[in-house]
Amino acid sequence: MNKQQIVDRLLALPAEIGSAEDAVLEANLHVLGAKVALQAKEDMLLLSNAIDGKNAEIRAAQTREKTVNERGDLDEAELNLKNAVTRLGRLRDEFKALRAVVDLLKGAA
């Protein structure tokens, strides 16, 4: 990267970081929504007597079996959140690294 490319990238990064922060917030909302949907389904199953196992282990297994879609949605939402957080971290790291390069170039000049 030459000096102009570094400057251009430093100027672009704050907007990208802001977008990445928004993506993290949105992904977090999706995780919360998926958790609420899973809990609602589990509650509905219990209250409608759809779960009738003789012991806690059987009831837990029945609940897992009948909430496969909701659990899949939660897993997907959690993975999306992890990816969004990782992307945000990488952008922040890049910004810090480029600022360090600028400081080095200032000292060399």
Side-chain angles (χ1 to χ4, degrees), residues 27-43:
N28 194 43
L29 288 176
H30 286 289
V31 168
L32 294 175
K35 285 181 179 181
V36 167
L38 175 59
Q39 185 65 56
K41 178 74 179 261
E42 289 174 346
D43 292 347

Side-chain angles (χ1 to χ4, degrees), residues 47-88:
L47 294 173
S48 68
N49 294 323
I51 305 299
D52 58 0
K54 295 187 189 278
N55 59 45
E57 290 82 13
I58 293 173
R59 289 189 299 273
Q62 288 175 327
T63 301
R64 284 190 304 273
E65 178 183 57
K66 294 183 181 201
T67 58
V68 170
N69 291 338
E70 290 79 6
R71 289 178 185 282
D73 292 345
L74 178 56
D75 289 343
E76 183 179 342
E78 288 175 336
L79 178 61
N80 288 339
L81 175 59
K82 288 177 186 176
N83 289 336
V85 168
T86 298
R87 181 172 188 278
L88 175 59

